[in-house]
Each structure stands twice: as C-alpha cells, then as structure tokens.
Amino acid sequence: MLTNSVDIIEQINTYTFDWNELVDDPEKIGKKDVGVIAQEVSGLWNFAVRNPAITKPISGVKEDYLKVEYHKFVPLLLSAVKELSQEVKKLKTNL
C-alpha cells in the first residue's frame, strides 16, 4: 500500500508549455499544453519517468531525455484520494 501520497502530490508542480520539435506528433509543435517537468517528478515519483533516447530531427544526434508517463500517476492519485477520504471521515467523527 502506498503512503504519503498526498504529500508527494503537493510537491509536484504543474505548468503550461509549448511543444517543441522533439514531440512524437509533428502537428503538436508550437501548440500549448499542460503538464509536469520530468526532472522534478523523477525525485518524487520516479515510477512515472523514463529515459528514452530521442533522435534530434535536425542534427540526427541521439540524446537522452526524460519523459513523463502520465498513466503511472493513477495509483498515486487513487492512494491520495483514499488518504483524504480517511481524513474527512476522522474530521466528521470529531464534529
């Protein structure tokens, strides 16, 4: 069972950003989106970050980049909801 999920989530910042040329789908280049920064997440919830080699389109050079796998946040979020639910139940009992 996961613990301290709410604490982990509270430390993860969210951002808006524009996709650059390294995105898998060229139609996304320059478009706005929302997300998290892989470097920040890797220190808090490393299950959601992987390190694939990406070939730069212009130079053809392969480089390592961190990539966030958002579906790996689901267990963390479920655990956080359960933690908060328990906290609400305790608070209701103390009323």
Side-chain angles (χ1 to χ4, degrees):
M1 178 178 272
L2 298 175
T3 58
N4 301 321
S5 301
V6 174
D7 294 334
I8 294 169
I9 289 172
E10 285 179 333
Q11 294 179 66
I12 298 173
N13 297 307
T14 55
Y15 301 91
T16 58
F17 64 93
D18 297 322
W19 286 103
N20 64 23
E21 70 281 350
L22 297 175
V23 65
D24 297 339
D25 180 358
E27 303 228 347
K28 287 185 178 179
I29 295 173
K31 298 214 171 146
K32 287 210 171 297
D33 211 337
V34 293
V36 296
I37 294 178
Q39 290 84 345
E40 289 181 7
V41 173
S42 66
L44 298 166
W45 188 247
N46 63 341
F47 303 104
V49 178
R50 66 183 181 99
N51 192 358
I54 296 175
T55 303
K56 286 186 166 184
I58 297 172
S59 65
V61 174
K62 279 192 177 187
E63 290 190 24
D64 288 338
Y65 286 88
L66 295 178
K67 183 174 182 177
V68 176
E69 295 185 323
Y70 288 93
H71 67 279
K72 299 274 183 133
F73 282 104
V74 173
L76 180 65
L77 294 170
L78 289 171
S79 178
V81 168
K82 290 177 182 180
E83 286 176 21
L84 292 171
S85 178
Q86 290 299 317
E87 191 172 325
V88 167
K89 286 177 185 175
K90 285 179 189 174
L91 290 170
K92 282 183 176 179
T93 336
N94 293 334
L95 287 180

